[in-house]
Amino acid sequence: MLCVLKPLYKATNDLCSSLFPTAASIIFYLHYVIETLRDLQQNNLNLKVRTFASKVNIGITKHFPLFKDNTTLLFCMVVDPRLKASFLNEH
């Protein structure tokens, strides 16, 4: 079960420990968490882990349904040189 919570912990810890968290980080970390949980849903052999990852993923996507379509956040990401290449290469 810890493998499901680990991406949430990492995102929370990184954002909270940053001296200057940016709006661009929101898309980056949400994408990271959702993709990690999706990978656990598809590839983990433990049924409880897959079920828990699915429920957490559903909760996150309900809270942030259109984060990839938010033009303000996308603009912030495009102008942030640390993040734009990693996200734009996927799309």
Side-chain angles (χ1 to χ4, degrees), residues 36-81:
T36 304
L37 292 173
R38 188 174 295 142
D39 183 56
L40 287 171
Q41 285 175 254
Q42 296 171 353
N43 299 320
N44 197 290
L45 299 177
N46 186 325
L47 178 62
K48 289 182 180 182
V49 170
R50 288 195 318 260
T51 303
F52 185 44
S54 175
K55 289 180 180 182
V56 172
N57 203 1
I58 289 169
I60 289 173
T61 54
K62 280 184 181 178
H63 282 86
F64 305 99
L66 302 173
F67 76 93
K68 288 183 181 179
D69 298 330
N70 185 314
T71 54
T72 303
L73 292 177
L74 287 173
F75 179 76
C76 291
M77 190 160 202
V78 168
V79 297
D80 188 334

Side-chain angles (χ1 to χ4, degrees), residues 31 35 68 85-91:
H31 182 72
E35 288 301 314
K68 288 183 181 179
S86 66
F87 188 75
L88 293 177
N89 285 338
E90 293 181 13
H91 298 287

Side-chain angles (χ1 to χ4, degrees), residues 9-24:
Y9 169 79
K10 179 174 175 29
T12 302
N13 194 40
D14 288 355
L15 287 170
C16 290
S17 65
S18 175
L19 292 176
F20 302 103
T22 63

